[in-house]
């Protein structure tokens, strides 16, 4: 069962609902059972009468979600309609001008239907009542599990991650049948971002089409210093769920840039290998157009997101043109790893993270950036102001007590080590890795991460029901990336459609590096690299 507060412990009743053309068969374990006995049966939500007012603020409800089952509806077109408080005051009832259709279903299992009402220009103001019309031509059975308003909680890096995941899988396996089955989905994922997030037009990921993702904070201060909660503002949309990386999103742009490059390599290989029989068509790209687009994204991203004063990338530029920079190490390290940062910017970033350059105003400077030993702090400047409205008391948690505010994630050490290899060289990366290994040996001697951080030393773990500052286990699967630096970094294995090349980068005091049991194209290979 979920912890208290995550959802109501008791089911709602049908009190206050109005129905037409339907008989009530009662609320059971799976929801409210209804028999539709007349064509065009409807349900109408209760009139808001309790305090606080249960009318829906349209901006805070960009989606209406219906979780339901149905049998016997057939090929119909159900829809919802709404009445605003303004309509009610003027005596206006439900009408077609305020209607949005959604797909019918035939299912004995629950279906989650999301209705994107924010796309309708009449979805505005205070929504007083909503009517569900099943549009049934005759008798049918419906089970309504729940019907509720929903914020836009989508994440904008899913598409790029899908593209990159498919590309990497193909490069390592050479599975042409897999590529043939997924290539149109990869192309569609990129075209979706080009249109939905305006990347063709603006050359960065623009979140203005997603309600609540404008990059502004959901917390504000009044003139007297008191806090004001801006409900609906500051929704996160990439790896970070509490930080409002909206507006023009640098983190998502870095991920998008790498996805464009990955698909460019895939499309180039498809051109080179007609014998693969990979389909082309209206969704396909030419390698040249993707290469030009990637160059435009890199140029604009380095211009727009670069904080010249601090010598690093900001998280985003919000809808008001304000850049937000709290010293996001993970963002800047990934920008280097994915070749998004220019050489000059990469050097500036590493001089800051390595402690050679101090950024004025940062909470963590120099050696304190690696306070947690296994990875740099996720941020180097205290943040008590830039969050989604639902994280209303960040000042109540000490610096380093949250992953996104001075804490650290083990998985990000992969990007740290890879960036160090690229900018500072293998000796520097090996020095950092030795510090991680020493910390790891201590945690294992203590019996694991949870026993190591058991309250006898500084540090709290995030996950398994606790909100902490260190991301090591539980949902932090990305911890597995750190050992990959041996294969992709020091050994430098780089698979492509036609080759597996190695660009070894060995520290001076290593005589050689041997890694066995690497799977590639159906073979198990052993590698030894020397100077």
């Amino acid at each position: 069962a979920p912890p208290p507060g995550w959802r109501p412990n008791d089911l709602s009743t049908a009190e206050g609902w109005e129905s037409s053309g339907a008989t009530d068969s009662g609320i059971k374990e799976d929801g409210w059972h209804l028999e539709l006995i007349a064509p065009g049966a409807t349900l109408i939500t209760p009139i808001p009468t309790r305090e606080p007012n249960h009318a829906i603020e349209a901006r805070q409800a960009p989606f209406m979600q219906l979780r339901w089952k149905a049998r016997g509806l057939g090929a119909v077109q159900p829809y919802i309609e709404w009445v605003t408080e303004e309509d009610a005051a003027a005596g206006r009832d439900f009408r077609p001008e305020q209607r949005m259709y959604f797909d019918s279903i035939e299912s004995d299992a629950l279906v989650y239907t999301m209705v994107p009402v924010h796309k309708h220009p009449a979805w505005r103001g205070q929504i007083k009542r909503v009517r569900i019309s099943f549009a049934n031509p005759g008798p049918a059975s419906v089970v309504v599990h729940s019907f509720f308003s929903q914020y836009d909680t989508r994440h904008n890096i899913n598409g790029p991650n899908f593209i990159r995941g498919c590309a990497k899988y193909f490069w390592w396996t050479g599975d042409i049948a897999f590529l043939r089955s997924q290539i149109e989905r990869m192309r569609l994922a990129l075209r979706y971002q080009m249109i939905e997030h305006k990347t063709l037009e603006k050359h960065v990921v623009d979140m203005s089409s997603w309600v609540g993702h404008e990059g502004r904070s959901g917390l504000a201060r009044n003139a007297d210093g008191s806090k004001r909660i801006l409900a609906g503002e500051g929704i996160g949309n990439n790896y970070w769920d509490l930080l409002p990386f909206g507006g023009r999103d640098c983190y998502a742009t870095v991920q998008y840039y790498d996805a464009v490059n990955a698909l460019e390599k895939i499309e180039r290989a498809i051109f080179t290998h007609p014998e693969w029989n990979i389909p082309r068509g209206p969704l396909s790209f030419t390698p040249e157009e993707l290469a030009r687009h990637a160059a435009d994204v890199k140029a604009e991203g380095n211009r727009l997101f670069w904080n010249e004063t601090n010598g690093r990338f900001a998280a985003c530029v919000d809808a008001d043109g304000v850049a937000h920079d709290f010293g996001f190490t993970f963002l800047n390290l990934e920008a280097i790893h994915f070749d998004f940062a220019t050489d000059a910017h990469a050097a500036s970033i590493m001089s800051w993270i390595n402690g050679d350059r101090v950024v004025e105003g940062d909470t963590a400077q120099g050696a304190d950036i690696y306070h947690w030993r296994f990875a740099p702090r996720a941020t180097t400047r205290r943040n008590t102001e830039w969050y989604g409205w639902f994280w209303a008391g960040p000042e109540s948690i000490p610096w380093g007590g949250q992953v996104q505010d001075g804490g650290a994630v083990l998985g990000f050490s992969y990007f740290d080590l890879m960036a160090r290899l690229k900018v500072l060289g293998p000796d520097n990366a090996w020095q950092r890795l030795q510090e991680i290994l020493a910390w790891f040996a201590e945690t294992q001697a203590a019996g694991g991460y949870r026993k190591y951080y058991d309250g006898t030393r500084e540090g709290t773990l995030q996950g398994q029901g606790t909100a902490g500052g260190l991301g090591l286990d539980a949902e932090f699967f990305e911890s597995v990336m750190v050992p990959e630096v041996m294969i992709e970094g020091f050994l430098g294995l780089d698979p492509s459609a036609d080759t597996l090349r190695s660009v070894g980068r060995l520290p001076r005091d290593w005589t050689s590096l041997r890694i066995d049991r690497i799977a590639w194209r159906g073979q198990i290979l052993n590698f030894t690299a020397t100077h």
Side-chain angles (χ1 to χ4, degrees):
W6 284 92
R7 70 182 187 201
N9 293 323
D10 299 319
L11 293 175
S12 297
T13 69
E15 180 182 357
W17 285 77
E18 296 178 18
S19 64
S20 173
T23 60
D24 184 346
S25 297
I27 296 177
K28 303 177 183 178
E29 183 70 22
D30 56 348
W32 187 11
H33 286 242
L34 298 163
E35 295 300 323
L36 311 187
I37 58 175
T42 63
L43 285 177
I44 304 177
T45 58
I47 299 174
T49 56
R50 294 175 293 167
E51 292 295 336
N53 191 342
H54 281 248
I56 300 171
E57 183 183 341
R59 174 171 167 76
Q60 293 200 60
F63 293 90
M64 293 298 294
Q65 184 175 151
L66 175 64
R67 299 183 180 182
W68 61 316
K69 308 175 186 179
R71 280 296 177 190
L73 286 180
V76 297
Q77 196 65 70
Y79 56 86
I80 65 171
E81 293 177 326
W82 56 91
V83 173
T84 67
E85 289 192 339
E86 182 181 348
D87 293 330
R92 294 188 294 266
D93 202 356
F94 296 104
R95 59 193 192 278
E97 292 80 11
Q98 294 180 175
R99 172 185 296 178
M100 181 161 273
Y101 293 94
F102 57 92
D103 290 338
S104 180
I105 63 170
E106 287 289 321
S107 175
D108 292 322
L110 274 181
V111 175
Y112 293 11
T113 296
M114 296 287 282
V115 186
V117 284
H118 69 96
K119 295 183 178 181
H120 199 298
W123 185 260
R124 53 185 172 79
Q126 297 290 324
I127 310 301
K128 187 167 185 177
R129 304 193 79 184
V130 179
R131 178 166 70 181
I132 305 170
S133 177
F134 296 105
N136 55 300
S141 297
V142 169
V143 178
V144 175
H145 174 275
S146 50
F147 182 56
F148 54 94
S149 61
Q150 181 64 285
Y151 294 101
D152 188 343
T153 60
R154 292 175 291 173
H155 286 243
N156 57 11
I157 61 172
N158 293 346
N161 280 341
F162 172 73
I163 295 167
R164 298 188 297 172
C166 288
K168 285 190 174 185
Y169 179 81
F170 173 70
W171 292 331
W172 279 102
T173 65
D175 189 338
I176 298 171
F178 170 82
L179 181 61
R180 189 181 299 116
S181 71
Q182 299 301 317
I183 185 62
E184 293 292 61
R185 300 177 72 201
M186 296 166 67
R187 291 163 173 164
L188 185 61
L190 193 68
R191 290 199 180 276
Y192 173 84
Q193 288 224 310
M194 288 177 166
I195 297 170
E196 181 77 3
H197 299 314
K198 306 179 180 67
T199 55
L200 274 183
E201 171 191 349
K202 299 190 176 181
H203 301 140
V204 295
V205 173
D206 184 328
M207 298 304 301
S208 59
S209 63
W210 287 10
V211 179
H213 295 254
E214 292 82 8
R216 305 184 188 96
S217 179
L219 312 177
R221 293 287 176 182
N222 298 313
D224 63 0
S226 60
K227 187 183 300 181
R228 187 169 73 257
I229 308 300
L230 307 175
E233 293 283 359
I235 300 175
N237 49 232
N238 48 55
Y239 177 95
W240 300 90
D241 52 359
L242 301 182
L243 299 175
F245 274 81
R248 286 169 289 176
D249 183 343
C250 182
Y251 188 90
T253 299
V254 172
Q255 310 294 314
Y256 173 80
Y257 172 76
D258 190 52
V260 173
N261 284 325
L263 191 55
E264 184 268 331
K265 294 175 184 176
I266 292 291
E267 293 283 27
R268 192 173 298 278
I270 291 171
F271 269 104
T272 307
H273 292 279
E275 73 277 11
W276 288 354
N277 188 26
I278 303 294
R280 297 200 54 76
L283 294 179
S284 63
F285 298 91
T286 65
E288 292 75 20
E289 69 178 312
L290 290 178
R292 287 192 300 269
H293 181 51
D296 290 338
V297 170
K298 180 173 181 175
E300 177 61 10
N302 278 264
R303 183 200 69 78
L304 176 67
F305 299 120
W306 186 252
N307 184 331
E308 194 65 46
T309 301
N310 293 338
R312 61 198 184 199
F313 289 109
C316 70
V317 177
D318 69 23
D320 300 321
V322 178
H324 299 273
D325 178 8
F326 291 93
F328 297 101
T329 59
F330 56 87
L331 163 66
N332 284 272
L333 291 167
E334 290 186 48
I336 295 174
H337 174 63
F338 294 122
D339 197 36
F340 179 82
T342 64
D343 289 345
H345 287 171
S348 175
I349 290 166
M350 290 312 303
S351 69
W352 152 56
I353 293 179
N354 199 46
D356 304 322
R357 177 173 64 86
V358 171
V359 176
E360 185 178 353
D362 272 3
T363 312
Q365 299 175 338
D368 188 52
I369 294 174
Y370 285 90
H371 177 79
W372 300 114
R373 300 174 62 196
F374 59 83
R377 292 184 185 270
T379 60
T380 58
R381 182 170 297 185
R382 178 75 155 133
N383 174 17
T384 60
E385 60 198 66
W386 190 62
Y387 291 97
W389 84 97
F390 42 83
W391 195 251
E395 69 281 355
S396 66
I397 300 174
W399 167 247
Q402 275 287 289
V403 167
Q404 76 280 348
D405 188 33
V409 177
L410 175 58
F412 294 158
S413 273
Y414 167 79
F415 297 113
D416 185 19
L417 293 164
M418 293 296 286
R420 287 173 177 276
L421 278 166
K422 182 177 290 188
V423 178
L424 301 178
D427 291 327
N428 179 278
W430 171 226
Q431 181 182 1
R432 174 90 276 274
L433 180 57
Q434 288 182 83
E435 295 171 9
I436 298 170
L437 292 172
W439 162 86
F440 183 73
E442 291 179 23
T443 67
Q444 299 311 291
Y449 302 141
R450 295 272 156 181
K451 291 184 178 180
Y452 187 74
Y453 294 104
D454 61 357
T456 59
R457 57 174 51 81
E458 185 185 11
T460 55
L461 267 62
Q462 163 75 26
Q464 295 186 12
T466 62
L470 308 181
L472 301 173
D473 60 358
E475 67 264 35
F476 290 91
F477 294 100
E478 55 270 36
S479 293
V480 76
M481 293 195 303
V482 179
E484 283 292 307
V485 72
M486 303 303 296
I487 297 173
E488 298 177 0
F490 291 111
L491 189 59
L493 287 188
D494 181 22
S496 69
D498 294 302
T499 63
L500 177 62
R501 70 187 188 118
S502 172
V503 184
R505 291 168 287 195
L506 302 187
R508 281 177 294 184
D509 59 353
W510 289 13
T511 57
S512 64
L513 169 62
R514 179 177 174 86
I515 304 179
D516 296 343
R517 295 178 296 170
I518 295 178
W520 178 75
R521 302 290 173 92
Q523 303 177 67
I524 304 299
L525 306 177
N526 303 325
F527 286 87
T528 301
T530 67
H531 290 283

